[in-house]
Amino acid sequence: DAKTTQPTSMDCAEGRAANLPCNHSTISGNEYVYWYRQIHSQGPQYIIHGLKNNETNEMASLIITEDRKSSTLILPHATLRDTAVYYCIVNIQGGSEKLVFGKGTKLTVNP
Amino acid sequence: SAVISQKPSRDICQRGTSLTIQCQVDSQVTMMFWYRQQPGQSLTLIATANQGSEATYESGFVIDKFPISRPNLTFSTLTVSNMSPEDSSIYLCSVVQGPFEKLFFGSGTQLSVL
């Protein structure tokens, strides 16, 4: 079973920041938080991952709470092309083969 | 990042027949996986394709139904055998690559069984 809980769906206005929450209250000390997204009819795409520090790359920012029991993926300026299902996954590094995908959050970016 | 080519991209098959899906990666990779995504659902890992040995199947998936080949470090096939309408799904090939062991996915095979 997935170790994360995400809202089923969210909406965001184009140009605004999209903040996608994820709860992972049973995360263990050596587990990373990974985010992937799946645009309709495509394979999932890696976005970002982190252990305990906040991370930023060209796609998004990842904010992990100090107790590591939850995190937020931030798309700073959402576009229509960001409409997708976003998956939050926890896993140990080196254990990629056991990635368990939950149901994710369906993000709809509206014009 | 790895470039993964999956063929066919979609197919419509008759009940009782078999379909073989091919996955070609543009570089050598150690870990290669097959996932299934049923309509409206999330991804479920079918098996790990091991080079030079039998695939490792997840609970609920068996070799007779989903035989997998991995002849080298850049290629794998998944066969869906004796298909029924319940096998209608998207089948995805994925590989692990990079220092942080990110997963990269092919574009998937949309299978419809009549």
Side-chain angles (χ1 to χ4, degrees):
Chain A
D1 291 338
K3 301 178 185 178
T4 61
T5 305
Q6 300 176 253
T8 302
S9 64
M10 294 183 64
D11 284 272
C12 177
E14 188 177 19
R16 299 281 190 163
N19 298 288
L20 292 88
C22 179
N23 287 322
H24 31 80
S25 58
T26 61
I27 193 171
S28 58
N30 62 346
E31 286 184 313
Y32 286 70
V33 180
Y34 290 81
W35 283 84
Y36 288 79
R37 73 178 182 184
Q38 186 174 25
I39 296 171
H40 183 62
S41 298
Q42 297 182 23
Q45 174 191 25
Y46 166 86
I47 301 173
I48 199 168
H49 78 286
L51 183 62
K52 54 183 177 181
N53 297 320
N54 298 337
E55 302 288 345
T56 296
N57 63 19
E58 65 278 4
M59 291 182 68
S61 295
L62 174 60
I63 308 297
I64 303 174
T65 58
E66 192 167 344
D67 64 7
R68 302 207 325 122
K69 293 185 177 182
S70 66
S71 61
T72 301
L73 179 75
I74 301 172
L75 308 178
H77 305 287
T79 70
L80 299 179
R81 289 175 296 179
D82 292 321
T83 292
V85 177
Y86 287 76
Y87 297 100
C88 168
I89 303 165
V90 296
N91 200 54
I92 60 172
Q93 201 166 72
S96 299
E97 68 274 17
K98 293 301 182 184
L99 279 185
V100 177
F101 285 79
K103 296 186 182 299
T105 296
K106 168 66 175 177
L107 174 69
T108 302
V109 180
N110 300 304
Chain B
S1 62
V3 176
I4 303 170
S5 302
Q6 220 179 300
K7 291 192 293 187
S9 58
R10 60 178 62 240
D11 207 341
I12 301 172
C13 300
Q14 296 297 318
R15 181 195 301 260
T17 62
S18 298
L19 175 71
T20 295
I21 302 167
Q22 298 181 2
C23 178
Q24 179 73 54
V25 190
D26 67 342
S27 58
Q28 293 186 342
V29 293
T30 304
M31 307 291 287
M32 189 178 268
F33 312 102
W34 288 97
Y35 283 84
R36 180 177 74 181
Q37 188 170 30
Q38 294 175 300
Q41 303 297 313
S42 186
L43 285 78
T44 301
L45 180 63
I46 298 172
T48 302
N50 301 309
Q51 195 268 327
S53 64
E54 196 171 278
T56 305
Y57 290 85
E58 296 300 306
S59 175
F61 298 96
V62 295
I63 187 171
D64 289 346
K65 177 66 176 177
F66 297 102
I68 289 171
S69 77
R70 179 91 189 270
N72 55 52
L73 293 177
T74 64
F75 186 78
S76 178
T77 66
L78 168 74
T79 299
V80 186
S81 303
N82 188 25
M83 288 185 285
S84 67
E86 292 71 35
D87 294 319
S88 297
S89 297
I90 298 174
Y91 292 86
L92 294 146
C93 168
S94 72
V95 303
V96 173
Q97 196 176 57
F100 298 106
E101 302 203 358
K102 294 175 279 190
L103 268 182
F104 294 93
F105 287 83
S107 55
T109 297
Q110 173 78 60
L111 171 62
S112 297
V113 183
L114 305 178

